[in-house]
Amino acid sequence: MKVLIVEDDPLHRAYLGEAVRGALPECNTVLEAADGLAGERLAREHISDRVVMDLQMSPRNGIEAARTIWRERPDTRILFWSNYADEANVRGISRIVPPGAAYGYVLKSASDERLRLALRSVFIEDQCVIDREVRGLQQKSAGAVSGFTDSEYEVLIDIALGLTDRTIARRRNLSLRSVQNRLQQLYEKLGVYQPNDGDPEARFNLRSRAVTVSLLRKLVNHTALERAEMDLARWLERDGHGPKP
């Protein structure tokens, strides 16, 4: 059995190496990569179908690397290992997991025993293992009342990227009124809506305030924005507004 560790922190990589060897006596090869790009390459070269993946890495984050690996080998088992239980990460992962794939999401604050059980459950027993805190975010994000629908979340990301209402409508194939309705729903759910937002004395710019609150609530993070910026660049190029070759 080969296990690939993709983690940019040397100390964390060493810790994971020890954890993998201790939890998986079946493992005869441990591969290590310091970022997502190197992880994609090693997974491809060594045909490794078991991966422990950090999320916050540069130049390629864990979600982008996992998407590439799953696209090439959908049966790969991936255990995400992160400091953060962000809704942005939860949503990002949910969009790329192939149907029926075994995967896990364990926080770095988890105990050694919890990590050991997660490694065996995902890599040996083909089970999905999600930490309780992460599972709570999954359930919250799936609800339209307490959380955000996918369409509302897309608009949130778009305003974080600085897009105008008209550009959002064009990108998402929506009417201008639909975009504005989604924005109002976002403002209400984030608690920033002001009935008198047309008042020149209003306290906030609602778009900027919504982005700030979403960052503080970890609905959006660096990984999500990095991924969204790449998606936007691809859309702009298809739409005829991207950089010319």
Side-chain angles (χ1 to χ4, degrees):
M1 179 195 299
K2 297 177 183 177
V3 175
L4 170 61
I5 295 170
V6 188
E7 165 63 63
D8 59 353
D9 185 292
L11 293 178
H12 285 169
R13 275 203 311 277
Y15 169 76
L16 283 174
E18 293 179 2
V20 166
R21 292 181 180 92
L24 303 168
E26 303 91 336
C27 176
N28 52 31
T29 303
V30 176
L31 306 166
E32 295 185 2
D35 61 67
L37 284 173
E40 292 173 14
R41 187 184 70 253
L42 287 177
R44 188 177 302 118
E45 291 175 355
H46 295 270
I47 316 179
S48 175
D49 61 358
R50 292 170 173 84
V51 182
V52 184
M53 182 79 72
D54 187 21
L55 289 174
Q56 304 284 356
M57 296 180 290
S58 183
R60 178 90 80 195
N61 64 57
I63 292 177
E64 285 299 315
R67 177 157 59 179
T68 298
I69 291 170
W70 266 327
R71 184 171 60 242
E72 296 178 1
R73 293 180 60 86
D75 59 341
T76 300
R77 304 170 183 122
I78 300 180
L79 176 61
F80 295 98
W81 193 61
S82 176
N83 278 318
Y84 308 103
D86 294 358
E87 186 168 342
N89 288 335
V90 169
R91 285 180 179 271
I93 292 170
S94 69
R95 288 184 172 130
I96 64 172
V97 178
Y103 78 101
Y105 191 142
V106 175
L107 297 178
K108 292 184 178 180
S109 57
S111 66
D112 294 349
E113 178 63 14
R114 173 63 173 164
L115 178 58
R116 187 191 74 81
L117 288 173
L119 287 166
R120 292 204 62 80
S121 296
V122 176
F123 292 162
I124 302 298
E125 300 170 13
D126 285 343
Q127 296 180 1
C128 290
V129 177
I130 311 296
D131 269 2
R132 181 179 302 174
E133 185 175 351
V134 178
R135 180 71 70 186
L137 284 174
Q138 286 181 326
Q139 294 169 348
K140 179 181 177 182
S141 66
V145 177
S146 59
F148 296 87
T149 65
D150 286 343
S151 59
E152 290 168 351
Y153 191 76
E154 286 176 348
V155 172
L156 173 61
I157 292 294
D158 284 345
I159 65 173
L161 294 172
L163 302 186
T164 64
D165 289 2
R166 292 187 183 278
T167 303
I168 295 172
R170 180 173 180 176
R171 185 185 186 194
R172 302 300 179 185
N173 295 316
L174 298 169
S175 68
L176 187 59
R177 174 62 65 185
S178 293
V179 172
Q180 292 168 343
N181 287 340
R182 282 172 170 79
L183 284 172
Q184 292 302 318
Q185 292 164 358
L186 273 175
Y187 298 154
E188 291 175 3
K189 289 183 178 181
L190 289 169
V192 301
Y193 179 67
Q194 299 170 121
N196 62 337
D197 56 284
D199 186 344
E201 299 300 321
R203 294 181 179 180
F204 301 115
N205 174 293
L206 294 185
R207 297 169 81 92
S208 299
R209 186 63 181 165
V211 172
T212 298
V213 171
S214 67
L215 286 167
L216 292 173
R217 287 176 52 180
K218 298 182 180 180
L219 300 170
V220 176
N221 61 15
H222 178 271
T223 300
L225 291 177
E226 184 181 60
R227 186 171 64 254
E229 185 70 23
M230 289 188 288
D231 289 342
L232 175 62
R234 287 190 286 266
W235 176 78
L236 288 172
E237 191 165 358
R238 290 195 305 270
D239 197 50
H241 293 86
K244 301 300 181 183

